[in-house]
Amino acid sequence: MNAARRLLQGHRPGDGPLRVLSASGQLGYGIPEAAFARGMARKPHFIGADMGSIDPGPYYLGSGEMAAPEAMVRRDLTLVLRAALDAGIPLVIGSAGTAGARPQLESVTALLHEIAREQGWSFRLATIASDVPADLVVQARQQGRLAAIGPMPEPSDDDIRACSHIVGQCGTETFARAFETDPDVILAGRACDTAIFAALPELLGYPAGLALHMAKIIECTSLCCRPGGRDAMLAELDLKGFTLESMNPDSHATPASVAAHALYEQADPFLVDEPGGTLYLADARYEALDNHRTRVSGARFEPRAQPTLKIEGARRLGARAVLIAGIADPTLLQVLDSVLEAVTAKVRALVPGDWQPVPHVYGCGAVRPLPAAQRATHEAGLVLEFIAPDALLARTAAAVYKQNLLHHGYPGRVSTAGNLAFPFTPGELDANEAYGFVLYHVMAGAPLTDIFRVEAHAVGGRAAEGN
């Protein structure tokens, strides 16, 4: 009998609170060991860890590479895996390798096998593949079952098929299927953050509203505390609510800090849409047990008739080169938009091909749109992207653009020596491949069982099977 079955057969809600330890809000960037050790000393029933999202942008989804350094991923995986195996409790990891696409899931799976081989460990692993076939998305778009989240442009069928990777966020129902394989460890591709921590409590019979609200908070570990941080977070869940406690004694879960976390990544702090329904928090209550812990109750969950599926997809835009420069001429800053337009037209005549400049003027609204009165008038940082089908054309466009912008004449110019200050030589820098989001949508009527493939793996010699 493996860890998941022992817990599912050995614990009932009436036995006492379920202790859930959140080890990391983004595994691979360092788990503070002292706080994690304190959490393990509290004898949790299972460990959960989120590993990523699309927050770092489209590059990692498009390329299939991990954002976190591999050495740190290996360190964090070893830490949580050793703790779970020594304690005989399940370990649940979601959004493998940052964006949860197939290459990232396979990379993290391979790391788990390597770690187990090096340490002499043996365990049963369940993986969840989250990749969505492009033709399925095209069909949903044609049938009107695809809705954008926010101001996303409508993708064409060709845009969708051009995505290098498309993933869906699996929910608690998919994790429930993975638990049927009796694993010690679950590693999911792209996953809803809450599902990592809510699936087991729901299977054990705890109210879905409480389980999901707890999961929504602890998936970020101690970010809900004052001061916030990355330390392990312990939740104790019962049938009427849950208690939150950071495993860092200097980081405190207060009613105000925990309640404020409802605004994290949410436009409405009282409604949280989940794959299977809606979490309502208007009646949630937050009560200080002492200066370190907060008790939460009152959340309720209403399932929808049919689950929806959030999908994410990215496509390659081209190779990218970057120019970084400083501007300290207030006259140039006043006319910068027209100067960039003029230089772009001049360089297009000199460098033929399908290249595109993308300017970011820091201090003049690059981070977010600023009223003109709030923009810098004395200096600004200029970051110019050049995206082209290949790196040579991107660098060529950047180099020619640099020289033309450096000596471009504009009304009121005093000096002809140069308009820009460059921090690096050469000024044009290679900046990896460029990817852009095509899909950030919700799909109705998605065949979840067909999309999310669950497989059981023997790590250290046990039999494996597919599901």
Side-chain angles (χ1 to χ4, degrees):
M1 185 184 301
N2 295 311
R5 186 177 299 175
R6 281 197 299 272
L7 178 58
L8 289 169
Q9 293 183 359
H11 180 87
R12 293 292 178 270
D15 296 341
L18 182 74
R19 294 179 296 279
V20 183
L21 184 64
S22 175
S24 174
Q26 195 167 3
L27 189 147
Y29 287 97
I31 296 173
E33 291 191 53
F36 182 70
R38 290 188 194 97
M40 290 306 302
R42 299 286 290 275
K43 299 188 182 303
H45 290 95
F46 75 93
I47 303 168
D50 193 14
M51 198 174 180
S53 69
I54 59 164
D55 290 356
Y59 175 82
Y60 299 101
L61 175 58
S63 68
E65 296 181 12
M66 288 192 291
E70 183 176 315
M72 290 300 295
V73 173
R74 182 185 293 271
R75 171 203 180 271
D76 287 358
L77 283 174
T78 303
L79 182 66
V80 295
L81 187 57
R82 175 182 287 112
L85 295 178
D86 286 350
I89 59 176
L91 170 63
V92 185
I93 301 172
S95 294
T98 308
R102 171 66 76 171
Q104 294 159 330
L105 178 65
E106 291 175 348
S107 294
V108 180
T109 300
L111 278 174
L112 287 173
H113 279 274
E114 290 177 17
I115 292 166
R117 185 167 55 251
E118 293 167 0
Q119 300 292 333
W121 295 336
S122 178
F123 59 91
R124 188 173 176 85
L125 170 69
T127 59
I128 302 171
S130 300
D131 299 80
V132 183
D135 287 343
L136 196 65
V137 183
V138 168
Q139 182 183 59
R141 190 196 72 82
Q142 293 173 347
Q143 295 175 351
R145 294 186 289 108
L146 196 65
I149 303 173
M152 287 289 294
E154 177 72 16
S156 68
D157 293 351
D158 289 342
D159 290 334
I160 295 170
R161 292 193 173 98
C163 288
S164 48
H165 299 105
I166 301 172
V167 294
Q169 278 193 350
C170 68
T172 54
E173 70 290 330
T174 301
F175 278 92
R177 283 198 294 119
F179 279 115
E180 291 174 0
T181 68
D182 188 21
D184 297 296
V185 179
I186 291 180
L187 177 67
R190 187 67 172 111
C192 190
D193 301 342
T194 53
I196 300 166
F197 300 94
L200 258 176
E202 288 186 23
L203 287 172
L204 288 166
Y206 290 91
L210 294 177
L212 287 165
H213 192 194
M214 174 199 72
K216 175 65 179 171
I217 299 170
I218 68 171
E219 60 97 359
C220 294
T221 58
S222 292
L223 192 63
C224 69
C225 297
R226 183 175 296 166
R230 304 180 64 87
D231 298 287
M233 192 80 178
L234 183 73
E236 295 183 313
L237 174 68
D238 57 47
L239 292 171
K240 294 185 178 181
F242 53 92
T243 298
L244 299 172
E245 181 180 357
S246 173
M247 294 295 97
N248 180 346
D250 297 320
S251 184
H252 309 298
T254 70
S257 67
V258 172
H261 194 72
L263 290 166
Y264 181 71
E265 297 180 333
Q266 293 295 130
D268 187 335
F270 301 121
L271 298 176
V272 180
D273 282 321
E274 295 288 329
T278 302
L279 179 64
Y280 291 90
L281 302 180
D283 295 328
R285 296 292 177 265
Y286 307 87
E287 176 188 3
L289 297 183
D290 49 41
N291 65 356
H292 187 64
R293 299 176 301 155
T294 286
R295 169 86 175 167
V296 184
S297 60
R300 62 184 179 87
F301 179 72
E302 290 189 7
R304 61 176 61 92
Q306 187 177 42
T308 55
L309 178 64
K310 180 188 176 188
I311 59 171
E312 302 155 352
R315 63 174 295 182
R316 181 183 182 272
L317 301 178
R320 178 167 51 203
V322 171
L323 284 176
I324 301 175
I327 301 172
D329 182 350
T331 304
L332 175 56
L333 288 173
Q334 293 298 317
V335 295
L336 186 59
D337 289 345
S338 61
V339 167
L340 293 175
E341 290 177 7
V343 173
T344 297
K346 187 185 299 184
V347 178
R348 285 205 183 281
L350 297 170
V351 182
D354 182 19
W355 58 272
Q356 182 66 37
V358 184
H360 308 273
V361 188
Y362 288 89
C364 289
V367 177
R368 58 186 175 91
L370 289 173
Q374 296 180 22
R375 297 180 183 179
T377 58
H378 61 289
E379 69 172 351
L382 177 63
V383 178
L384 274 165
E385 291 185 73
F386 295 84
I387 297 173
D390 59 77
L392 179 59
L393 179 56
R395 285 196 301 271
T396 300
V400 177
Y401 202 103
K402 173 187 68 178
Q403 291 304 114
N404 279 272
L405 180 57
L406 182 64
H407 297 290
H408 182 77
Y410 51 88
R413 180 180 177 187
V414 175
S415 172
T416 60
N419 303 327
L420 310 172
F422 293 98
F424 308 115
T425 302
E428 50 275 10
L429 308 173
D430 288 326
N432 297 314
E433 298 288 284
Y435 290 85
F437 285 121
V438 172
L439 295 167
Y440 191 73
H441 289 66
V442 171
M443 181 194 298
L448 302 183
T449 303
D450 294 336
I451 291 172
F452 297 114
R453 302 295 299 168
V454 175
E455 294 182 355
H457 307 257
V459 180
R462 300 182 187 179
E465 62 191 45
N467 183 25

